[in-house]
């Protein structure tokens, strides 16, 4: 996507920026006219005049009061935007565990560019050995971003973060902590311990929704009819005694209702058909 430079102190490491996600794995739909199946195009209609407005007549505006706007020209917007930067400026190194995942917004990969292989490898290894990550700033697409650099296998991942002001404060939820007994905590810890794994395995989970959609698309392409299964009505939630629920969960595996179903794993039977489309949903 771009050629950048990681800089901290007197160190400068040339890197290449890559997207960490595969756009080909997304299934997107186009908007069509139901009557004849032709594509639809988006138009903007003036509310006051009731007619379509050409893009050359469109400007951006900010609503500062109900139905009252201040307008900005494209040149004014461009002047306000942050100039793109080829530098990733690392300002500090902190323990990776101290960065709450709630701040993560988007992920990229960084690979060494020409002449940067050795310092790149040194940084990856040092971050892995110390459990640290780099915190810095990067400007792109008119915006400045906080970023985190962390090692992932033998590479660097760059996470674009939300600013703190973009996150809803937990206190806004109005959560009142309930009183729990030591016996309840003991049972809860036992349940967590019983269902614990050594590490998270992303490959153990399959995108079942994507598989269903991809299969349905192939059926449609083949001219087959898709039967829509009737979903069972949602049952009202029952209030269950916490101690009884925890005890039931900790019953021996031979007992009825105590066997934990493993996650569905990706395998040869998983639907791998990719549906590609030119538009977005």
């Amino acid at each position: 996507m771009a050629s950048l430079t990681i800089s901290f102190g007197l160190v400068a490491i040339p890197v290449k920026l890559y997207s960490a996600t595969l756009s080909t794995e997304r299934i997107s739909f186009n908007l069509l006219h139901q009557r004849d199946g032709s594509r639809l195009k988006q138009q903007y209609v003036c509310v006051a005049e009731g007619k379509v407005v050409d893009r050359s007549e469109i400007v951006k505006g900010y609503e500062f009061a109900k139905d009252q706007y201040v307008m900005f020209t494209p040149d004014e917007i461009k002047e306000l935007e942050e100039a793109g930067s080829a530098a990733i400026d690392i300002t500090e190194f902190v323990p990776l565990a101290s960065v709450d995942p709630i701040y993560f917004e988007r992920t990229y990969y960084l690979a060494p560019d020409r002449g940067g292989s050795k310092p790149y490898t040194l940084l990856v290894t040092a971050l892995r050995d110390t459990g640290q990550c780099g915190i810095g700033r990067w400007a792109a697409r008119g915006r400045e971003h906080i970023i985190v650099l962390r090692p992932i296998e033998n590479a660097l991942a760059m996470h674009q973060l939300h600013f703190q002001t973009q996150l809803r404060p937990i206190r806004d939820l109005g959560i009142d902590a309930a009183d729990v007994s030591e016996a309840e905590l003991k049972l809860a810890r036992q349940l967590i311990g019983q269902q614990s794994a050594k590490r998270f395995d992303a490959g153990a989970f399959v995108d079942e929704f994507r598989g269903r959609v991809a299969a349905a698309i192939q059926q449609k392409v083949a001219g087959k009819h898709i039967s829509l299964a009737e979903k069972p009505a949602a049952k009202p939630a029952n209030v269950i005694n916490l101690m009884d629920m925890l005890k039931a969960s900790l019953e021996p595996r031979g007992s009825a209702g105590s066997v934990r179903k493993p996650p569905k794993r990706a395998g040869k039977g998983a639907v791998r058909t990719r549906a590609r489309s030119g538009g977005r949903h």
Side-chain angles (χ1 to χ4, degrees), residues 196-225:
S196 294
K198 291 185 178 180
R199 56 175 298 180
F200 167 64
D201 179 12
F205 299 88
V206 177
D207 187 348
E208 296 180 14
F209 171 75
R210 186 190 183 284
R212 290 195 302 271
V213 174
I217 289 172
Q218 290 305 308
Q219 288 179 295
K220 286 274 189 179
V221 171
K224 297 180 180 179
H225 175 71

Side-chain angles (χ1 to χ4, degrees), residues 108-175:
Y108 300 92
Y109 289 145
L110 297 176
D113 207 343
R114 184 178 302 176
S117 181
K118 187 167 185 177
Y120 178 94
T121 302
L122 284 170
L123 179 59
V124 171
T125 306
L127 289 176
R128 184 190 303 116
D129 291 348
T130 59
Q132 301 281 98
C133 67
I135 305 292
R137 291 177 177 270
W138 173 56
R141 300 184 184 92
R143 298 288 303 276
E144 186 179 48
H145 305 283
I146 315 172
I147 59 93
V148 160
L149 291 188
R150 72 176 181 91
I152 176 169
E153 297 183 17
N154 63 337
L156 281 175
M158 182 174 80
H159 300 284
Q160 182 177 305
L161 304 185
H162 291 288
F163 284 94
Q164 188 172 34
T165 53
Q166 294 175 313
L167 298 177
R168 183 190 301 275
I170 296 295
R171 62 176 178 274
D172 288 355
L173 305 181
I175 299 174

